[in-house]
């Protein structure tokens, strides 16, 4: 089981209460598709992903970005059993969606950048450390059921 | 993943915007790395203060960022242009190249914190590619 300090618990609740899921989700996913274009392989039916502007304005990307943040929210609310919370999601990503788990790391990096931009100076090194630890646990849980 | 003309243009333009704060960015990126990835402290075993405003972090952050700024002007031949720095890292410092990726990530985070509007997705991908190319040039002489 993951050990969380009081500071880490408080920081994760605080960060996720401050960010707007409807903005951060879409921005993080769009950034991932732009910065790591091979991730577009999973979104063949999303229509126009031809350039950065098209990706940023694509409504299906935006909708899916919100879905992803909704999924993260479940981990925020169940920090003591993220592995269990994500068991079904992990199976889904492995067996149905066939997503290379390294892509979770790429999306996590983009999410970190977007949250850093949103929070500015409030994204101190200590907050960054707690945030990245939480995201790493979520990423690990999402890859757990792959075989 | 080689640097296109478009990448180089984005990097040069963005560096023009941030050059006045390059030293501070270097300091903060290094400071973040030492705090968020504590294993990186092993390369600075003689240091006494790993905090963000430590004089040691400030000085070394400036050294590293100056070399990176220098590399902006050498994008047409990074391997040639960084050859002596690569020798130094290969034979004297022997920093495991995985750490170049870690520092690069913390530079990106620092840029996002201080330039949220300028650090667009297109700038992000260009700078990410640039830092990866710099890292590869730095590791070029390793073996």
């Amino acid at each position: 089981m993951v050990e969380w300090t009081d500071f880490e618990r408080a920081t994760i609740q605080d960060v996720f209460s401050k960010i707007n899921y409807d903005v951060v989700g879409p921005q993080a996913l769009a950034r991932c598709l732009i910065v790591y274009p091979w991730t577009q392989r999973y979104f063949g039916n999303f229509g126009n992903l031809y350039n950065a502007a098209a990706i940023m304005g694509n409504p299906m990307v935006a909708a899916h970005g919100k879905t992803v943040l909704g999924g993260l929210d479940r981990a925020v609310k169940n920090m003591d059993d993220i592995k269990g919370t994500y068991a079904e999601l992990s199976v889904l990503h492995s067996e149905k969606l066939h997503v290379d788990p390294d892509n979770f790391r790429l999306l996590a990096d983009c999410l970190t950048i977007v949250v850093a931009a949103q929070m500015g100076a409030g994204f101190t090194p200590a907050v960054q450390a707690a945030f990245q630890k939480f995201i790493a646990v979520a990423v690990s849980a999402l890859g757990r059921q792959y075989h | 993943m080689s640097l296109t003309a478009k990448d180089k243009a984005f990097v040069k333009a963005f560096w023009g915007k941030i050059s006045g704060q390059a030293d501070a960015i270097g300091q903060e990126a290094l400071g973040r790395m030492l705090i968020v990835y504590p294993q990186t402290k092993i390369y600075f075993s003689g240091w006494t203060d790993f905090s963000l405003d430590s004089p040691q972090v400030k000085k070394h952050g400036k050294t590293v960022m100056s070399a990176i700024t220098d590399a902006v002007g050498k994008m047409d031949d990074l391997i040639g242009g960084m050859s002596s720095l690569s020798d130094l890292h290969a034979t004297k410092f022997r920093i495991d190249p995985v750490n170049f990726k870690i520092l690069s990530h913390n530079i990106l985070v620092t840029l996002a914190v201080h330039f949220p509007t300028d650090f667009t997705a297109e700038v992000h991908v260009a700078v990410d590619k640039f830092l990866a190319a710099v890292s590869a040039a730095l590791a070029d002489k390793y073996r």
Side-chain angles (χ1 to χ4, degrees):
Chain A
M1 205 183 95
V2 182
E3 302 272 339
W4 301 103
T5 65
D6 291 342
F7 173 81
E8 286 165 347
R9 283 183 195 277
T11 297
I12 294 310
Q13 299 307 312
D14 186 57
V15 168
F16 281 86
S17 72
K18 284 191 168 113
I19 62 176
N20 182 344
Y21 287 16
D22 289 346
V23 167
V24 166
Q27 280 191 10
L29 183 60
R31 200 167 271 253
C32 186
L33 296 171
I34 293 165
V35 177
Y36 307 108
W38 53 94
T39 58
Q40 292 170 27
R41 74 187 307 282
Y42 302 110
F43 303 99
N45 63 335
F46 269 34
N48 186 1
L49 300 178
Y50 187 62
N51 55 34
I55 292 170
M56 300 288 300
N58 185 309
M60 291 180 82
V61 171
H64 195 65
K66 292 178 194 178
T67 301
V68 169
L69 255 283
L72 257 182
D73 188 64
R74 291 173 55 197
V76 173
K77 296 187 158 63
N78 289 284
M79 283 176 71
D80 287 319
D81 186 22
I82 295 176
K83 193 168 78 180
T85 304
Y86 275 7
E88 278 179 34
L89 265 178
S90 181
V91 170
L92 176 76
H93 282 76
S94 164
E95 315 239 314
K96 184 160 177 249
L97 304 175
H98 306 298
V99 178
D100 184 333
D102 196 60
N103 289 193
F104 305 147
R105 256 165 288 282
L106 300 180
L107 179 56
D109 281 351
C110 287
L111 182 61
T112 303
I113 300 284
V114 168
V115 169
Q118 291 270 308
M119 293 185 66
F123 199 67
T124 63
V127 168
Q128 179 185 346
F131 184 82
Q132 290 196 197
K133 176 177 168 178
F134 170 76
I135 293 292
V137 170
V139 162
S140 168
L142 214 47
R144 198 71 175 68
Q145 302 303 324
Y146 277 62
H147 62 95
Chain B
M1 300 189 220
S2 48
L3 294 170
T4 63
K6 188 175 155 193
D7 293 326
K8 293 177 189 177
F10 268 111
V11 170
K12 286 196 161 109
F14 185 70
W15 236 261
K17 290 189 176 135
I18 73 168
S19 59
Q21 297 182 49
D23 293 350
I25 292 166
Q27 173 182 1
E28 186 175 324
L30 189 66
R32 281 183 186 273
M33 182 186 81
L34 295 165
I35 291 168
V36 181
Y37 300 85
Q39 71 275 15
T40 57
K41 289 189 291 188
I42 60 127
Y43 292 106
F44 306 100
S45 48
W47 286 12
T48 47
D49 184 355
F50 291 99
S51 63
L52 254 190
D53 44 17
S54 135
Q56 291 159 324
V57 173
K58 184 175 177 181
K59 179 167 183 252
H60 196 63
K62 179 178 170 170
T63 300
V64 170
M65 202 63 182
S66 299
I68 295 175
T69 297
D70 221 47
V72 173
K74 296 176 178 173
M75 282 190 287
D76 291 334
D77 180 22
L78 279 171
I79 290 182
M82 296 185 68
S83 179
S84 49
L85 265 179
S86 183
D87 284 330
L88 195 61
H89 283 72
T91 58
K92 188 173 174 218
F93 303 138
R94 287 178 291 187
I95 297 169
D96 192 305
V98 71
N99 295 285
F100 302 152
K101 213 168 168 6
I102 292 175
L103 180 59
S104 297
H105 169 72
N106 284 286
I107 291 173
L108 296 179
V109 169
T110 305
L111 293 175
V113 164
H114 293 283
F115 301 93
T117 20
D118 290 313
F119 194 61
T120 61
E122 284 181 296
V123 169
H124 179 167
V125 59
V127 174
D128 192 36
K129 287 176 74 175
F130 166 64
L131 292 175
V134 166
S135 301
L138 211 49
D140 189 63
K141 302 285 182 307
Y142 268 51
R143 56 178 176 173

